[in-house]
Amino acid sequence: MKDYLRRHIWILSELYQNPKGLTYKEFEERWKRSSQNVLETSLPKRTFQDCLRAIEETFDIDISSDARNGYRYRIVQRDWLENDRVKDWLLSAFAVNGLLQDSRGLRERVMYEDIPSGNDYLLEVLKAMRENHVLAMTYQDYFDKEPRDILLEPYCVRVFRQRWYVVGVMENEPKGEEPTELTNQGHIRRYALDRVVKLESTDVTFKMPRDFSVSDYFADAFGIIVEPEEYDIETIRMKVYDINHRREYLRSLPLHESQKEVERHKDYSVFELRIAPTYDFIKEILSMGGEVEVISPEYVRQEVEHRAEELLARYKNT
């Protein structure tokens, strides 16, 4: 079984790393030399084709080989694949894993960003999402003295700042508690998996709203906070100074997909982005220190100034 899995991951890795494709003979020769082939097995063409079919079904991709391409096996329509972020991420993750397994020397030279906790519950959440099963979890928030029991309809998951979050509708919502966003089914809330004490899937099912879209839900958010009743969507203008190459960093890795560079000067640029100025966004601006200055709206500028004054006061009083 292990050899079966190794072979599948290895083939997937080779397909992903070689956009122009490889012939069956090239796959066969590379498999012979691969350190993944610990049992030194061959790669018969029938076995190879069975692996390709399994990969197509598992990852919902098309693999072709025709005479016009020299009978080279390749993933079809990779440009479509690159627009499917989840699928592309999964494929690249498997490809990287296959490359690391095939090159033992690389393993000690690659370091991933660690997600300290929450992983234990992620698979259970994903399984519940797949079957539309309600989750029963005991949750200990930082703001609560005691843990509380929650029945949640899990709509989606998201990772942000090394934490996994599950987003969904609470079925046993307490009276008087402020909602985040109202849907046809209830109020959407978010929960960090590292604050979950206990979690299990129930036999109770729910109906996923047809109009719910993860990308639409987070479209105007910087991070994980979505609170339309508290934050308006604003066009935020920022002056980004040419200090420590901050402009280049923001050009290559925008804060939000709406970000645009609307002015470019010798010592600074002006960037615009349209988002809700939530607490996590303000923290991000502060983390860049004097390299970034909020120009407008005025109340967002004042909020950043207020937070900066609090920080300065801490240092002055010690």
Side-chain angles (χ1 to χ4, degrees):
M1 185 63 178
K2 286 184 178 180
D3 190 58
Y4 173 85
L5 291 173
R6 286 194 192 98
R7 190 164 51 219
H8 278 64
I9 293 174
W10 177 84
I11 291 173
L12 178 58
S13 176
E14 292 293 320
L15 286 168
Y16 195 84
Q17 292 177 67
N18 296 277
K20 294 182 180 180
L22 297 169
T23 65
Y24 163 67
K25 286 294 183 183
E26 287 173 324
F27 273 104
E28 188 178 36
E29 288 301 316
R30 291 185 181 205
W31 177 244
K32 288 179 183 178
R33 301 192 304 268
S34 172
S35 62
Q36 289 273 68
N37 188 9
V38 293
L39 299 181
E40 298 183 354
T41 58
S42 61
L43 186 64
K45 193 163 188 177
R46 182 172 178 178
T47 301
F48 173 68
Q49 290 175 336
D50 287 343
C51 289
L52 293 180
R53 281 193 291 270
I55 291 170
E56 285 181 314
E57 292 175 5
T58 301
F59 291 94
D60 190 26
I61 58 176
D62 293 324
I63 301 170
S64 74
S65 171
D66 54 52
R68 292 173 298 177
N69 191 40
Y71 294 104
R72 306 177 77 84
Y73 291 88
R74 63 185 180 87
I75 298 174
V76 181
Q77 296 173 321
R78 284 183 66 105
D79 53 340
W80 287 14
L81 175 63
E82 288 166 2
N83 291 328
D84 189 329
R85 295 180 181 178
V86 174
K87 193 180 295 183
D88 191 47
W89 175 76
L90 283 171
L91 283 171
S92 62
F94 272 93
V96 168
N97 180 71
L99 182 62
L100 292 179
Q101 293 296 326
D102 210 29
S103 306
R104 290 191 176 94
L106 281 180
R107 294 186 216 171
E108 303 302 320
R109 297 164 59 188
V110 176
M111 178 176 285
Y112 291 95
E113 186 173 35
D114 185 36
I115 298 179
S117 57
N119 293 326
D120 295 342
Y121 300 111
L122 183 59
L123 282 178
E124 190 65 31
V125 172
L126 292 175
K127 290 176 184 177
M129 287 169 54
R130 182 183 61 193
E131 305 295 335
N132 284 347
H133 279 201
V134 172
L135 288 170
M137 65 180 182
T138 303
Y139 192 76
Q140 176 67 71
D141 207 335
Y142 297 143
F143 308 102
D144 296 328
K145 293 182 180 179
E146 300 292 336
R148 51 180 172 152
D149 294 326
I150 294 169
L151 293 175
L152 185 74
E153 299 175 2
Y155 283 10
C156 65
V157 293
R158 181 176 182 177
V159 66
F160 180 71
R161 293 290 189 265
Q162 294 179 277
R163 282 187 169 90
W164 279 106
Y165 293 84
V166 58
V167 178
V169 168
M170 185 196 297
E171 290 196 341
N172 58 335
E173 185 171 341
K175 292 182 180 180
E177 189 165 323
E178 288 296 324
T180 53
E181 183 176 343
L182 183 64
T183 67
N184 293 332
Q185 306 296 316
H187 296 118
I188 297 181
R189 298 180 179 277
R190 62 187 177 276
Y191 298 95
L193 293 188
D194 61 316
R195 278 161 251 172
V196 172
V197 178
K198 181 181 177 182
L199 182 147
E200 60 184 7
S201 182
T202 70
D203 294 330
V204 179
T205 60
F206 67 94
K207 190 174 182 180
M208 185 74 184
R210 290 185 178 181
D211 59 348
F212 180 81
S213 163
V214 178
S215 58
D216 289 346
Y217 179 72
F218 286 107
D220 302 314
F222 165 73
I224 194 66
I225 299 176
V226 179
E227 296 179 352
E229 76 289 345
E230 185 172 347
Y231 299 98
D232 293 329
I233 310 304
E234 302 281 8
T235 298
I236 298 174
R237 289 172 60 86
M238 307 180 304
K239 185 181 285 188
V240 181
Y241 295 94
D242 194 20
I243 303 172
N244 298 324
H245 306 289
R246 177 56 61 183
R247 285 194 296 185
E248 298 300 330
Y249 281 111
L250 288 184
R251 286 167 184 162
S252 61
L253 187 61
L255 293 176
H256 188 260
E257 60 183 13
S258 66
Q259 178 180 300
K260 297 177 182 177
E261 188 174 3
V262 295
E263 294 181 27
R264 186 177 294 197
H265 303 275
K266 180 181 178 181
D267 298 324
Y268 71 91
S269 289
V270 175
F271 288 84
E272 280 187 357
L273 55 159
R274 189 158 178 80
I275 60 169
T278 53
Y279 173 65
D280 47 6
F281 173 72
I282 299 298
K283 286 202 304 181
E284 182 69 15
I285 296 299
L286 288 169
S287 73
M288 292 183 279
E291 299 166 6
V292 175
E293 175 190 357
V294 173
I295 303 172
S296 64
E298 182 60 27
Y299 81 91
V300 178
R301 178 183 173 89
Q302 289 177 358
E303 177 65 17
V304 175
E305 181 182 355
H306 172 67
R307 298 283 181 177
E309 287 174 348
E310 285 184 330
L311 176 62
L312 182 61
R314 294 285 186 191
Y315 283 90
K316 281 185 175 181
N317 294 332
T318 55

